Amino acid sequence: MKPVLAVMYREYLIRRTSLMWMFFDVIVPLLYLLLFGVAFDRAFGTSFIIDGMPVRYNDFFLAGVLAMTCFGNAVNQTYGFFVDRDNGIFFEHLTYPLTRGQLLFGKILFQGIMTIAQTITTLTAAELILEVHIQIVMIPLIFLAVVIGTAGWFFSLSNVAFLIRRNDTFNLVINASYFILMFMSSLFYPIDQVPVWLRVPSLANPLTWHANILRYLTIGTGSSMEIALQSLLFLGFLFISFKIAVHTIQRSA
Amino acid sequence: MTAANIIEVHNLTKVFAKRKNSPVRALNGISFNVEKGQIFGLLGPNGAGKSTAIKILTTLLSPTSGTAIVGGYDVVSHGNEVRKTICAVVQENAIELYLSVRNNFRSFGKFHGSSAVEIDKQIDHVSELFNLREFLNEAGVDLSGGMKRRVQVAKMFLIDKPVVFLDEATTGMDTFNKRTTIEAIREESHKGRTILLTTHLLDEAEALCDAVAIINHGVMLAQGCIEEVKSMGIQLYTVTITCRPDFTEIRRWLEMKNPVSIEQTQGTFAVSVTTEEQALDIINTARLKNVLLQFEVSRASLEDTFVELIDKKTGVST
């Protein structure tokens, strides 16, 4: 456990150097929800019918914001890897007394704590300001789901950071992934109403699985069977990404 | 592994596969041992394979074949055990850019299992030793290249791991800090730590190392203690001699002594010979002829031997 705590301590020291950064990290999903969600909620009202029930856009969008936050956190943490490799400290880290898995685990555990702080702020604001009726009993599972979601994307995007040497190429790939994955998912709209060419890839997108799981946990939409299947798929995505990331770290030196 | 050896490298080979070009053989079956408490220099020109060897020994890279044992553990099968016995300065100026120098030290200490109290105590000592006290609150990103290197090297003295790897540790440092670093390395060796270093500065290696290995193009050219390696060169002694100006036959007379080379700078001749007897003969004969004004005998430096070995065995001039 000591090596994992050392990784977390290092991440904490870096994050502490900029309180503005930390503050922004915590409130960014809340800003998304308030600035983006409110406008759409006013425009759509209760026009979404999911499982035969009318759903307000703010209720629907809350899970999308949480899933998007996990993805964004993973991108930020991955960019840290890229910077570390660029200045060489990454290679020094690999000579420290810890396994490659512990290095990844420590980073994601720290980011997981940050994600939980973001989730608490966002859920509180959603409940109190936007009157979203969150399933309180599911909150521990929501925390678990956001940590697992961040981890899955972090491990997966780490491979991109290790394989790409150029900063501009890395940014291009990340931006393109951000754009494609977010719009080909159920973050912003229910995918059962979109054209088939968009629906099929969206169903294979881990971001869709993650958003659906979070939507099930926050407002209770979706069938239990489908959510169980998507949970298994996401865990598989997490496990494979982790295995590949450990292997890629070893090869990146 | 024998009790005396803390590093054992046997027939180590590393081949890098290249997509478009043919594979590069960075290390070609090198073998060497480093005894506990020794300062061992791995020397060679750019691209010789020194950094690749260090990367394998510090578990950053896996060898293609051969074995490397550090502190009794195989670097491939027991990488984490190896990492528990080592600390390493890698070639880049690698420091935590966004952390202050103090927090660079704290973070490094935590990774190596030191408590906060121990680290802070050591920070005082190390920042004094490396003249970093006034920079402790500066962020890494604001430091010059030489200063970053100093912080990087200073970290090795925060903790007490038995094996230290220093890849071009003094590169970019000014003379004063270079000297401090060399002294600190020597002191650590006296305490029983083993230091494996690479350097381009052969006078530094000669002054510091107990033993060296010279490699080029991944091939071991020579290894042993400094005197052993120096004796592998042909040119062993240089006699610098100045005779009376009226002794006009000096050049012809020196050529009769069968030297390796003669270089003339105005009235002074630098004569390279292979044996001590030849050197003494030149001086004695000049003295008997009563023409000797000044003389000096020096043994070939490690740098002379290095250049000669690289030129002779691989045909590559440094």
Side-chain angles (χ1 to χ4, degrees):
Chain A
M1 195 58 191
K2 250 186 167 182
V4 174
L5 289 175
V7 180
M8 292 175 72
Y9 178 68
R10 183 247 177 190
E11 295 298 316
Y12 160 72
L13 287 177
I14 291 176
R15 208 58 74 100
R16 207 183 60 172
T17 57
S18 171
L19 290 177
M20 190 67 196
W21 183 12
M22 209 180 227
F23 175 72
F24 189 74
D25 239 11
V26 173
I27 66 154
V28 72
L30 179 63
L31 292 176
Y32 259 116
L33 189 68
L34 293 177
L35 301 178
F36 197 75
V38 168
F40 274 86
D41 190 64
R42 182 62 61 89
F44 296 140
T46 54
S47 62
F48 284 169
I49 304 294
I50 299 175
D51 300 337
M53 295 283 290
V55 176
R56 289 169 56 224
Y57 190 75
N58 275 339
D59 296 18
F60 178 84
F61 189 49
L62 175 62
V65 166
L66 294 177
M68 189 164 56
T69 304
C70 296
F71 188 79
N73 287 343
V75 168
N76 290 342
Q77 188 72 306
T78 308
Y79 189 72
F81 252 146
F82 195 85
V83 172
D84 288 347
R85 195 186 59 184
D86 227 23
N87 90 72
I89 192 72
F90 169 69
F91 301 108
E92 193 177 290
H93 288 161
L94 295 184
T95 69
Y96 294 169
L98 73 166
T99 64
R100 281 37 175 161
Q102 284 170 330
L103 177 65
L104 286 170
F105 190 62
K107 277 178 176 285
I108 201 55
L109 215 54
F110 178 81
Q111 196 58 57
I113 292 169
M114 294 299 293
T115 309
I116 287 176
Q118 290 172 324
T119 305
I120 291 171
T121 323
T122 311
L123 292 179
T124 308
E127 180 79 39
L128 297 179
I129 303 170
L130 303 176
E131 296 175 343
V132 177
H133 298 299
I134 297 158
Q135 306 185 95
I136 304 294
V137 288
M138 293 292 189
I139 283 181
L141 284 177
I142 294 172
F143 290 161
L144 186 65
V146 291
V147 171
I148 288 175
T150 309
W153 287 114
F154 169 66
F155 297 142
S156 149
L157 294 171
S158 294
N159 292 308
V160 179
F162 295 136
L163 292 171
I164 295 174
R165 300 273 167 188
R166 288 179 54 156
N167 197 1
D168 50 359
T169 314
F170 176 77
N171 284 333
L172 175 75
V173 170
I174 291 296
N175 286 335
S177 309
Y178 221 129
F179 183 79
I180 294 167
L181 288 170
M182 282 208 297
F183 286 98
M184 260 182 201
S185 75
S186 62
L187 287 196
F188 303 112
Y189 30 73
I191 54 172
D192 53 355
Q193 290 161 31
V194 299
V196 177
W197 64 266
L198 186 56
R199 189 161 63 234
V200 173
S202 297
L203 284 170
N205 181 354
L207 209 47
T208 299
W209 310 333
H210 192 222
N212 289 349
I213 295 162
L214 286 166
R215 199 158 285 133
Y216 178 80
L217 295 173
T218 51
I219 59 170
T221 58
S223 82
S224 308
M225 281 302 288
E226 271 179 27
I227 296 303
L229 175 67
Q230 290 179 340
S231 301
L232 281 177
L233 285 171
F234 198 89
L235 286 174
F237 166 71
L238 169 84
F239 180 74
I240 292 167
S241 300
F242 178 74
K243 282 285 177 192
I244 297 173
V246 171
H247 178 71
T248 318
I249 283 189
Q250 190 59 40
R251 287 175 57 90
S252 65
Chain B
M1 197 180 86
T2 65
N5 293 336
I6 198 157
I7 300 173
E8 287 187 353
V9 174
H10 182 66
N11 211 13
L12 202 65
T13 299
K14 179 67 187 176
V15 181
F16 290 105
K18 298 277 174 187
R19 264 183 215 161
K20 290 176 184 167
N21 303 318
S22 52
V24 174
R25 193 169 275 267
L27 290 178
N28 200 354
I30 65 165
S31 302
F32 61 89
N33 296 327
V34 180
E35 289 175 20
K36 194 177 171 196
Q38 214 173 33
I39 304 178
F40 187 91
L42 200 52
L43 313 177
N46 291 333
K50 308 182 298 284
S51 294
T52 303
I54 284 214
K55 280 181 175 176
I56 292 173
L57 293 174
T58 55
T59 77
L60 282 169
L61 278 178
S62 296
T64 308
S65 63
T67 55
I69 310 288
V70 177
Y73 298 101
D74 186 286
V75 294
V76 177
S77 59
H78 291 83
N80 208 30
E81 298 306 319
V82 169
R83 290 191 288 274
K84 284 176 187 167
T85 67
I86 66 165
C87 54
V89 168
V90 286
Q91 208 160 4
E92 294 87 354
N93 286 331
I95 68 166
E96 303 280 6
L97 290 179
Y98 303 117
L99 297 186
S100 64
V101 171
R102 186 188 300 279
N103 282 339
N104 260 277
F105 289 152
R106 282 179 175 162
S107 174
F108 181 81
K110 276 274 182 213
F111 272 112
H112 285 276
S114 304
S115 71
V117 178
E118 283 168 350
I119 299 165
D120 283 346
K121 210 169 104 183
Q122 278 302 97
I123 288 174
D124 279 346
H125 166 67
V126 164
S127 58
E128 192 68 50
L129 185 65
F130 286 90
N131 293 309
L132 288 166
R133 194 172 286 279
E134 59 184 300
F135 301 100
L136 282 175
N137 296 321
E138 296 274 331
V141 73
D142 296 328
L143 301 177
S144 67
M147 193 69 83
K148 282 179 189 161
R149 200 63 173 163
R150 221 194 297 175
V151 172
Q152 208 184 356
V153 173
K155 288 193 292 192
M156 301 301 118
F157 300 91
L158 274 178
I159 54 169
D160 196 22
K161 293 293 169 80
V163 186
V164 183
F165 291 93
L166 300 169
D167 197 359
E168 305 286 353
T170 57
T171 303
M173 285 186 188
D174 58 39
T175 312
F176 179 77
N177 286 300
K178 203 174 280 185
R179 192 169 289 181
T180 306
T181 305
I182 288 171
E183 282 307 315
I185 291 170
R186 201 171 276 140
E187 203 169 301
E188 291 303 306
S189 156
H190 290 153
K191 286 181 198 164
R193 292 177 87 180
T194 307
I195 289 135
L196 191 151
L197 56 88
T198 70
T199 178
H200 281 101
L201 306 170
L202 295 166
D203 54 339
E204 184 179 299
E206 188 169 359
L208 194 57
C209 296
D210 303 310
V212 294
I214 298 177
I215 58 173
N216 194 22
H217 294 307
V219 177
M220 182 66 74
L221 300 183
Q223 64 173 305
C225 70
I226 297 283
E227 289 307 313
E228 279 171 354
V229 170
K230 279 164 65 172
S231 70
M232 290 174 192
I234 299 170
Q235 179 190 301
L236 278 176
Y237 299 90
T238 300
V239 182
T240 308
I241 185 167
T242 309
C243 291
R244 280 179 15 208
D246 58 333
F247 184 45
T248 52
E249 293 294 296
I250 183 166
R251 186 163 191 111
R252 203 151 60 96
W253 170 72
L254 285 172
E255 278 169 356
M256 285 164 59
K257 300 289 178 187
N258 202 20
V260 176
S261 66
I262 301 175
E263 283 176 28
Q264 185 179 354
T265 311
Q266 293 177 330
T268 301
F269 291 82
V271 190
S272 297
V273 291
T274 51
T275 64
E276 197 175 340
E277 287 72 28
Q278 278 178 293
L280 290 174
D281 181 42
I282 290 170
I283 294 157
N284 279 333
T285 315
R287 198 169 51 86
L288 289 172
K289 282 177 179 283
N290 208 20
V291 293
L292 187 63
L293 291 180
Q294 204 177 347
F295 76 93
E296 188 185 317
V297 181
S298 58
R299 294 205 55 187
S301 67
L302 183 63
E303 186 167 327
D304 295 328
T305 310
F306 176 82
V307 171
E308 192 186 318
L309 284 170
I310 300 285
D311 279 348
K312 189 174 76 179
K313 294 199 177 176
T314 65
V316 175
S317 177
T318 50

